[in-house]
Amino acid sequence: MARGRLHVLLGAAPGVGKTFAMLEEGRRLRELGSDVVIAVVESHGRPATEALAAGVDAVPRRMLEPTDLDLEAVIARAPQVALVDELARLNAPGSRHERRWQDVEALLEAGISVLTTVDVQHIESLREVVEQVTGVRQRETVPDAVLRAADRVELVDLAPSALRDRLAAGDVYPAERIDAALSSFFRLGTLTALRELALLWLADEVDSALAAYRAEHGIHGRWDARERVVVSLTGGAEGETLLRRGARIAARSAGGELLAVHVVSQDGLTRRHPEALAAQRALVESLGGTFHEIVGDDVGRSLVQFARSVDATQLVVGASRRSRLVAALSGQGIGATVVRESGDIDVHIVTHAAAAGRFALPRLGGGLSARRRRAGFALAAIAGPLVTALLVSVRSEESMTSDVLSLQLLVVVVALVGGLWPALVAAVFSGIALDFFFVDPLHTVTIAEPLHALALALFVVNALLVSYVVDQAARRSRAARRSAAESQLLATTAGSVLRGEDALQALVGRTREAFGLASVRLVADEPAGTVLAADGDPAAGEPSESVRVGGRAALELRGRILDASERRLLGVVATQLDAAIEHRELSATASELGPLAHADRTRSALLSAVSHDLRRPLASAITAVGGLRSTEVVLTPAEREELLATADESLVALAALVSDLLDVSRLQAGALAVVLDDVDIDDVILPSLDELGLGPSQVELDLAPDLPSVSADAALLQRVVVNILANAVRFSPPGRRVRVATSAFGDSVEVRVVDHGPGVAADRREEIFVPFQRLGDTDNLTGLGLGLALARGLTEGMGGTLEADDTPGGGLTMVVSLRPASGRMDP
């Protein structure tokens, strides 16, 4: 009997529509002629789901456990397709199998195809991650192997905000569970994280399926489904540079993958820098990549073979650290091999400090370096005897001219390579060899003829002329390189400053690199000894030189002594440093003046707002009291009562405004007294409603039972709740009640005040917590705009938080989070 096929509908969370999609697919298959039955469907009382299930045949449930799948009944019914909801569900005690996914395996073995559903939080490999995200450990899980063996895994996706709207509308849970769900599992951030987990898990599954398909069909070419960047690590100091470059390349495409590989020899002993490799492995993992070690004697070919095995699209290798001479003697390096063998894989040869050294200015002085002079002497010592022996072996009476020209060419070549002194040595040697081996009498050094002396002189003159030209060319080339390097130094430093780097640090760092110094420090005169910027080894010893920078600092150099030309450039650097110091001082002054100016403008605005808001109740009270004291007008008892009520109301409002102002001042000064104690949330919410005179027609309560006490100041917490409630009631539309709900989430206790008013845009929510802000409130009779600012300040003073969130369907939800009394810590 052929095994049945498994089709899994994967969702990020309950309510995304997995069961609905399963039933729709079942109805579609039935219309196509397949025998489809419902083995078990969990509708959770949703009318739309129950209506859709009504049109599909169902196998009767067990009488004792109606929520379980009756495996024997389904196998006896033997449909072509069985619909099995909630694959991760635990079976009731006494069932054939402990878990529902084991029942599904039995159905598949019986030749019945299964269409089933599962949420991402029930995947075994994601259990720990889901617990970190949601704070809930899952008992019901499905092994990854079961899902990966499925013939088809399909994601049923829904945006987190749309799922919250669906939940608020009652399409997921009953009304009594909505607020608790919104405040815990169905938070926007939690849903977003679960959705990402589902997408990533499915992407890995797609990768596995693609690899299996290519292996099955013998496809070995590269398929650029996504960027895979392989970075070659040798254990050298350049590894960090290469890894960060590879990470940037991988990050340019969505889903890019970073792989680091180190090639060891066949004996496994080639580990020159184990500490560096360990650090680079940690860096790879922190960048989200993976580290691999492979064995191979040919490093370049091994790298390319590994890159092909993982379908790499990019290969990053470091520039060679070998000198040109070593490279010439030892043949092609790793980079050349990789480029030649890479085929359609893009190769990045990345330069680094170990390859070309740090930036340094060329030294002025002699035209040719000591290295070139040594090379010239070596060439004269080796090539002279070889050329002479070759000419002697083919000597004839007619070859004198070619012998002379050959030795002359040797002198010119030595002059080109090594300059004057090697050329003179070669010229003298060539003259003596010419006289000894080619001029009669042979094998004697005799200058009997004036022409012989002239020939030797010509050799020397030619050597002098050629070496002079070579030396001048080298001098001009070095001067040009130095000028270019000086320009590069200044341009790079200016570019660093324009990119936002610290100007002083950039100048000091480039100065140390350019002049090859051990350490450079910029020290201010006032306060004495203050280091403004430093680069290099701090323990480099005493300064070798000190250069004044304007009249306010000194540049201390440690290392070698600079020559005159370098000091001229250092003067330019000192001038730039002086300008940078002046700019820093001006910027500091401006930054100090900026807040003062802002504070002055704020103070003026606050004084204007406060004077306006205080003047109104004060004027009302004065008018009412003046009317009561007047002897010119006879007041009726009703009029007198009205004036007394006006005075009382105005004075109460005035006292509240002054109290809020004083509390804000104490909060800003850090002088507000907070006395923490164990407080029952319910004992604060109910008095807050009484204080505001709010009843069931205006406020709906959803207080969770058995909540732990919180660490709070009862009086201050009541003020927080009163301020938030007053704000919510003011903005709620007529006929819509404000909901006050309490719940425990993670390690905190939450009070949620939910209104269905106009809400606040996400980018402006922080503004509502700023004093004297009244967003969307054009009524000048509603106070100073201190309520929410005070509420947040008081909440934070008690060690809690106050945040604003969207209300699904429109409105604003204020969430007060406090620590349980058992975890109380003094703020």
Side-chain angles (χ1 to χ4, degrees):
M1 180 183 296
R3 178 181 169 89
R5 298 175 62 83
L6 178 60
H7 180 182
V8 179
L9 297 176
L10 175 66
V16 297
K18 303 180 301 300
T19 303
F20 201 86
M22 179 183 72
L23 292 170
E24 284 187 325
E25 178 67 9
R27 292 173 69 96
R28 187 187 70 83
L29 292 174
R30 195 184 65 158
E31 291 172 359
L32 293 175
S34 297
D35 182 14
V36 180
V37 299
I38 295 176
V40 58
V41 165
E42 306 291 348
S43 66
H44 299 287
R46 300 166 192 165
T49 303
E50 293 175 349
L52 196 62
V56 183
D57 293 341
V59 175
R61 306 279 188 93
R62 290 179 176 179
M63 296 300 295
L64 296 179
E65 296 292 343
T67 60
D68 277 354
L69 182 152
D70 192 338
L71 180 60
E72 289 75 11
V74 177
I75 293 177
R77 170 69 170 74
Q80 290 178 290
V81 180
L83 307 184
V84 181
D85 207 4
E86 298 187 8
L87 182 64
R89 179 64 65 86
L90 283 168
N91 288 334
S95 301
R96 185 199 293 188
H97 300 115
E98 180 185 1
R99 298 176 182 272
R100 186 169 291 175
W101 63 264
Q102 295 171 317
D103 291 340
V104 168
E105 283 292 311
L107 292 176
L108 296 174
E109 290 296 331
I112 301 173
S113 296
V114 176
L115 180 58
T116 186
T117 66
V118 69
D119 286 324
V120 71
Q121 67 262 29
H122 297 299
I123 298 177
E124 177 65 36
S125 64
L126 301 179
R127 175 190 285 184
E128 300 297 333
V129 180
V130 169
E131 183 178 0
Q132 293 175 4
V133 172
T134 64
V136 179
R137 186 168 185 82
Q138 297 294 331
R139 292 176 54 251
E140 300 177 330
T141 58
V142 179
D144 290 61
V146 173
L147 298 178
R148 296 196 184 280
D151 299 278
R152 180 179 173 188
V153 179
E154 181 180 347
L155 180 67
V156 179
D157 191 29
L158 186 66
S161 57
L163 179 55
R164 282 170 57 86
D165 289 341
R166 179 180 289 181
L167 179 67
D171 296 335
V172 180
Y173 291 147
E176 62 273 11
R177 296 179 57 189
I178 291 176
D179 284 320
L182 286 172
S183 64
S184 54
F185 192 88
F186 286 82
R187 288 169 176 256
L188 189 61
T190 301
L191 294 176
T192 302
L194 292 174
R195 186 189 193 197
E196 184 177 11
L197 284 175
L199 291 170
L200 290 175
W201 190 93
L202 191 61
D204 288 340
E205 171 64 17
V206 171
D207 272 351
S208 300
L210 179 61
Y213 175 84
R214 295 181 62 192
E216 181 181 347
H217 291 79
I219 300 172
H220 303 293
R222 192 183 83 190
W223 284 10
D224 295 344
R226 60 174 170 172
E227 293 285 0
R228 284 188 176 87
V229 182
V230 172
V231 178
S232 169
L233 298 179
T234 64
E238 74 279 2
E240 182 176 346
T241 301
L242 302 184
L243 286 173
R244 296 193 184 281
R245 174 64 63 84
R248 290 197 297 271
I249 295 172
R252 291 172 188 164
S253 65
E257 187 176 352
L258 176 67
L259 303 94
V261 58
H262 174 64
V263 181
V264 298
S265 63
Q266 295 285 356
D267 57 13
L269 299 178
T270 306
R271 279 179 167 272
R272 291 175 292 177
H273 307 286
E275 297 85 1
L277 274 175
Q280 290 163 15
R281 180 171 192 160
L283 177 60
V284 171
E285 294 172 353
S286 69
L287 294 172
T290 56
F291 181 87
H292 307 266
E293 279 191 347
I294 58 176
V295 178
D297 286 334
D298 190 324
V299 177
R301 286 191 173 89
S302 299
L303 283 173
V304 174
Q305 290 172 2
F306 174 81
R308 292 193 183 283
S309 70
V310 297
D311 293 328
T313 59
Q314 313 275 344
L315 185 54
V316 179
V317 297
S320 175
R321 291 178 288 190
R322 304 179 303 170
S323 66
R324 291 188 178 89
L325 178 61
V326 173
L329 294 176
S330 60
Q332 290 186 334
I334 296 173
T337 302
V338 169
V339 171
R340 186 181 67 251
E341 301 285 341
S342 62
D344 55 357
I345 301 176
D346 295 337
V347 179
H348 302 263
I349 306 293
V350 179
T351 188
H352 49 84
R358 303 296 296 273
F359 174 84
L361 294 173
R363 304 278 179 261
L364 290 177
L368 297 177
S369 64
R371 183 177 178 181
R372 283 191 61 177
R373 288 195 293 271
R374 288 194 297 269
F377 281 118
L379 180 62
I382 296 172
L386 291 176
V387 171
T388 302
L390 177 63
L391 293 178
V392 169
S393 65
V394 297
R395 179 180 178 274
S396 64
E397 293 296 333
E398 294 80 13
S399 65
M400 176 60 73
T401 302
S402 61
D403 295 339
V404 173
L405 292 176
S406 298
L407 292 173
Q408 181 67 70
L409 177 62
L410 173 64
V411 174
V412 171
V413 171
V414 171
L416 290 173
V417 173
L420 176 61
W421 294 109
L424 286 178
V425 171
V428 172
F429 170 82
S430 298
I432 294 174
L434 186 63
D435 184 68
F436 187 84
F437 291 105
F438 302 101
V439 178
D440 294 328
L442 299 179
H443 306 127
T444 61
V445 180
T446 303
I447 305 179
E449 297 291 334
L451 289 178
H452 295 173
L454 178 61
L456 182 59
L458 288 175
F459 270 99
V460 174
V461 170
N462 285 338
L464 287 172
L465 291 176
V466 173
S467 61
Y468 174 77
V469 171
V470 171
D471 188 72
Q472 289 298 311
R475 287 176 182 272
R476 289 186 173 86
S477 175
R478 179 163 297 190
R481 290 199 307 273
R482 183 177 178 85
S483 298
E486 292 173 356
S487 300
Q488 181 186 354
L489 168 64
L490 300 178
T492 304
T493 303
S496 300
V497 175
L498 290 175
R499 287 191 299 271
E501 298 179 19
D502 182 81
L504 294 179
Q505 187 60 45
L507 283 165
V508 167
R510 295 297 290 177
T511 300
R512 186 191 68 78
E513 295 175 6
F515 296 108
L517 300 170
S519 173
V520 176
R521 292 200 318 166
L522 182 63
V523 182
D525 295 339
E526 295 293 339
T530 302
V531 178
L532 300 177
D535 190 74
D537 184 6
E542 293 298 319
S544 56
E545 290 188 62
S546 182
V547 179
R548 293 298 303 168
V549 178
R552 66 190 97 198
L555 190 65
E556 296 180 353
L557 313 178
R558 290 171 172 80
R560 63 185 186 85
I561 304 298
L562 304 184
D563 58 32
S565 62
E566 290 173 327
R567 284 194 177 88
R568 286 195 298 272
L569 178 58
L570 192 60
V572 177
V573 174
T575 302
Q576 288 199 352
L577 283 169
D578 185 37
I581 293 174
E582 183 178 4
H583 181 268
R584 174 183 281 191
E585 292 176 350
L586 291 174
S587 298
T589 303
S591 64
E592 292 174 359
L593 293 176
L596 292 176
H598 177 71
D600 186 62
R601 291 194 299 270
T602 303
R603 188 179 296 107
S604 299
L606 295 184
L607 287 174
S608 176
V610 170
S611 63
H612 178 270
D613 285 290
L614 291 178
R615 188 182 299 116
R616 185 176 58 253
L618 186 60
S620 298
I622 291 173
T623 302
V625 172
L628 289 170
R629 296 185 60 188
S630 175
T631 58
E632 299 178 358
V633 180
V634 178
L635 300 175
T636 66
E639 291 172 337
R640 182 177 294 275
E641 185 65 27
E642 183 179 355
L643 287 175
L644 284 172
T646 300
D648 180 67
E649 181 182 342
S650 299
L651 290 174
V652 169
L654 184 61
L657 291 173
V658 172
S659 178
D660 284 348
L661 286 171
L662 292 175
D663 284 344
V664 168
S665 300
R666 283 196 290 267
L667 280 173
Q668 293 176 344
L672 184 68
V674 179
V675 180
L676 297 182
D677 200 356
D678 296 355
V679 177
D680 189 333
I681 289 286
D682 293 355
D683 292 341
V684 171
I685 293 177
L686 298 178
S688 300
L689 297 176
D690 293 338
E691 181 178 339
L692 293 172
L694 300 176
S697 63
Q698 296 166 291
V699 177
E700 175 187 353
L701 294 180
D702 183 10
L703 306 181
D706 301 326
L707 276 180
S709 299
V710 297
S711 175
D713 184 313
L716 297 183
L717 182 56
Q718 183 170 330
R719 291 202 63 191
V720 170
V721 175
V722 166
N723 287 348
I724 296 174
L725 267 173
N727 191 72
V729 171
R730 182 163 61 246
F731 286 100
S732 290
R736 296 299 299 271
R737 293 190 298 174
V738 172
R739 175 185 287 269
V740 179
T742 59
S743 61
F745 180 75
D747 57 353
S748 64
V749 175
E750 294 185 346
V751 180
R752 303 175 70 86
V753 179
V754 183
D755 71 60
H756 298 278
V760 178
D763 58 345
R764 302 198 66 189
R765 283 184 196 145
E766 285 303 308
E767 296 180 28
I768 65 178
F769 298 109
V770 177
F772 304 98
Q773 294 292 326
R774 294 185 296 202
L775 299 185
D777 190 353
T778 58
D779 180 10
N780 289 328
L781 302 176
T782 54
L784 297 173
L786 296 176
L788 293 181
L790 267 176
R792 171 172 277 188
L794 295 175
T795 304
E796 292 176 349
M798 293 181 288
T801 61
L802 173 59
E803 302 294 338
D805 196 2
D806 278 329
T807 298
L812 191 67
T813 298
M814 305 299 294
V815 184
V816 180
S817 298
L818 296 168
R819 295 170 298 181
S822 59
R824 183 178 69 189
M825 297 179 295
D826 291 335

